[in-house]
Amino acid sequence: MTTSALTKVSEQLCFGGKQIRFTHQSAVTNCEMQFSVFLPPQAQTGKVPALYWLSGLTCTDENFSGKAGAQRVAAELGIALIIPDTSPRGDGVPDDPDGAYDFGLGAGFYVNATREPFVKHYQMYDYIVSELPALVEAELPVSAVRAISGHSMGGHGALVIGLRNPERYRSISAFSPIGNPAKSPWGIKAFSGYLGDDQSQWVHYDASVLLAKTEKELPILVDQGLADNFYPQQLRTEALIAAAEQSGAKAQIRLQDGYDHSYYFIASFIEQHLRFHAKYLAN
Amino acid sequence: MTTSALTKVSEQLCFGGKQIRFTHQSAVTNCEMQFSVFLPPQAQTGKVPALYWLSGLTCTDENFSGKAGAQRVAAELGIALIIPDTSPRGDGVPDDPDGAYDFGLGAGFYVNATREPFVKHYQMYDYIVSELPALVEAELPVSAVRAISGHSMGGHGALVIGLRNPERYRSISAFSPIGNPAKSPWGIKAFSGYLGDDQSQWVHYDASVLLAKTEKELPILVDQGLADNFYPQQLRTEALIAAAEQSGAKAQIRLQDGYDHSYYFIASFIEQHLRFHAKYLAN
């Protein structure tokens, strides 16, 4: 892999580190992908561990970069932030037939689609698990010591990807995750569209199902606001809590009074999530 | 003044405080105005001092609210953030005849327009100096102990308003201000359009002119990034530095290597600005 695999779109100094936006041609999603990276000052002198952040419906890599205020603590702790887009994009990439916000562009749900016409491009699970880390670790001063987090649809993605690949991540966290998508309106629409009606295929992408049977002691931190418009119907946090109790997983799931689904909630608690991950990334 | 003067559009919990968006009918700008407020937790038990933040070209009250990461430190210090819009808006409000970004809507330049057709609505100086604080202090748990800051066009506004009204503010700061608008392309366009060609009227809105002759010891902090695309031509920071030297004003004007004109720069240094203001607001 040569350095030409990544095209730098922009680079901006932030808290003494570098906030960079890249594009690259993906062999997995068969289109050009964009992502953002924050490299802390410590990356100037050696490889640093990374937190992968998966964003929610309608987002790109720019929402977390611009709104979460994560760079301050990441710069202090020496953690890179890797912030992918939420779907494949481009003229050849099929969208929701009605242009809805919760399927298609901006709504890849971090699955490998098996249905036409989505199968060609919507391979976000493999992209996040394999292709993007390989690219980042080959091209940037970022080590293979990883944690994963995300918000809403991205919280679902972080939990599913972390739980299915415990050897690849040190810790998992999530804000307002879609915790049991096989039984929520958003998840049912997405899984039907990308995976088809065979619900035996859906369980591989349902955090509550995976958490209920996990045998690994991967540390998990989840924050859910109680003034969130999508709680409980879409997010089904209680299913996630029940699943953690069933398996005895090392999951701390916190209900935060008064907070909503927005980045004001994420900004308020991202420092705690970063310090949580830093404990495991440092070892 | 009754509480019906303010209409609450939204309220979100953030760092234990309240991020609120209001609209109200302005008698000064003759249209409905929108602004945002962050009330720190301390406002639940008493009046708190306030930092007024003036935003730059193309912004609304939402840019600083969502991107600067200021609420964390404001919540710690017990400072309210008052974040007005950058111009009057609405169907009856005239815009730049060519729809340019640097005049008209989103570009009020914090002046009292004297030229038609702008004179009726573009009275942003009086709105910021008088009407908005009176409204905020009557309706919200916010005291008349004030500081003022801003970015770019809003940095110009903060310096001009603070320097012309030293009895109303304890301290002034600015990021990347248009420091000498009477001699910069942005400022010349705006002042010609709002005030006309008589440059003797422009000097009342030029921070370098005002700073060169100030006799008050109002503390001033300015940060300017050296990788800023608009530096030096539009911003003319050197004129501001020369003006401060001429009057011996208590101004700290810092040139920050590598930082650009964006909110990544503001986010990186807003904590220092808030702690700077807090010293003077506390007395």
Side-chain angles (χ1 to χ4, degrees), chain B residues 56-58 96 100-104 107-109 111 151-156 175-194 202 224 228-236 261:
Chain B
L57 289 167
T58 78
D96 183 279
Y101 75 97
D102 56 2
F103 188 80
F109 267 85
V111 303
H151 174 233
S152 195
M153 175 183 77
H156 140 74
F175 290 84
S176 331
I178 306 174
N180 183 200
K183 294 192 178 168
S184 87
W186 277 337
I188 291 167
K189 177 177 177 179
F191 291 176
S192 302
Y194 294 128
W202 297 11
Q224 174 59 51
D228 182 330
N229 287 337
F230 303 112
Y231 171 83
Q233 192 204 13
Q234 293 279 17
L235 306 176
R236 297 181 58 80
H261 200 70

Side-chain angles (χ1 to χ4, degrees), chain A residues 11-17 19 62 65-69 71-72 257-260 262-265 267-269 271, chain B residues 11-17 19 62 65-69 71-72 257-260 262-265 267-269 271:
Chain A
E11 178 178 315
Q12 299 173 267
L13 197 61
C14 183
F15 287 98
Q19 180 72 34
E62 293 193 298
S65 300
K67 292 182 159 188
Q71 291 93 346
R72 178 182 61 89
D257 199 29
Y259 286 92
D260 69 5
S262 74
Y263 266 90
Y264 289 121
F265 175 44
S268 300
F269 292 94
E271 176 167 1
Chain B
E11 178 177 315
Q12 298 173 269
L13 197 61
C14 184
F15 286 98
Q19 180 73 34
E62 292 192 299
S65 299
K67 293 182 159 188
Q71 291 93 346
R72 178 182 62 88
D257 198 29
Y259 285 92
D260 70 6
S262 75
Y263 266 89
Y264 289 121
F265 174 45
S268 300
F269 291 95
E271 177 167 359

Side-chain angles (χ1 to χ4, degrees), chain B residues 13-202:
Chain B
L13 197 61
C14 184
F15 286 98
K18 293 176 183 173
Q19 180 73 34
I20 315 177
R21 198 169 197 207
F22 292 108
T23 59
H24 69 101
Q25 198 61 34
S26 167
V28 170
T29 66
N30 288 297
C31 63
E32 185 180 86
M33 297 293 290
Q34 60 190 5
F35 70 98
S36 287
V37 169
F38 175 70
L39 294 177
Q42 295 85 342
Q44 290 166 23
T45 51
K47 291 199 173 223
V48 295
L51 175 68
Y52 287 75
W53 174 271
L54 307 185
S55 296
L57 289 167
T58 78
C59 288
T60 68
D61 54 305
E62 292 192 299
N63 300 68
F64 183 76
S65 299
K67 293 182 159 188
Q71 291 93 346
R72 178 182 62 88
V73 186
E76 177 200 323
L77 298 172
I79 297 173
L81 306 171
I82 315 296
I83 311 156
D85 202 353
T86 52
S87 78
R89 296 185 195 266
D91 287 343
V93 176
D95 196 4
D96 183 279
D98 302 318
Y101 75 97
D102 56 2
F103 188 80
L105 300 183
F109 267 85
Y110 307 103
V111 303
N112 289 335
T114 52
R115 280 191 71 221
E116 295 292 350
F118 304 104
V119 61
K120 180 179 177 189
H121 298 291
Y122 285 83
Q123 300 293 322
M124 289 297 290
Y125 179 87
D126 281 351
Y127 176 72
I128 302 294
V129 172
S130 304
E131 189 186 43
L132 182 63
L135 186 67
V136 162
E137 291 156 19
E139 305 266 356
L140 300 173
V142 172
S143 75
V145 177
R146 309 179 199 98
I148 191 161
S149 184
H151 174 233
S152 195
M153 175 183 77
H156 140 74
L159 288 165
V160 165
I161 287 172
L163 287 164
R164 285 177 59 176
N165 301 276
E167 74 291 354
R168 295 182 61 81
Y169 301 95
R170 298 284 181 88
S171 48
I172 309 172
S173 80
F175 290 84
S176 331
I178 306 174
N180 183 200
K183 294 192 178 168
S184 87
W186 277 337
I188 291 167
K189 177 177 177 179
F191 291 176
S192 302
Y194 294 128
L195 306 173
D197 293 333
D198 177 4
Q199 297 196 14
S200 71
Q201 298 307 305
W202 297 11

Side-chain angles (χ1 to χ4, degrees), chain A residues 37-56:
Chain A
V37 170
F38 175 70
L39 293 177
Q42 296 84 343
Q44 289 167 21
T45 51
K47 290 199 174 224
V48 295
L51 176 68
Y52 287 75
W53 173 271
L54 307 185
S55 296

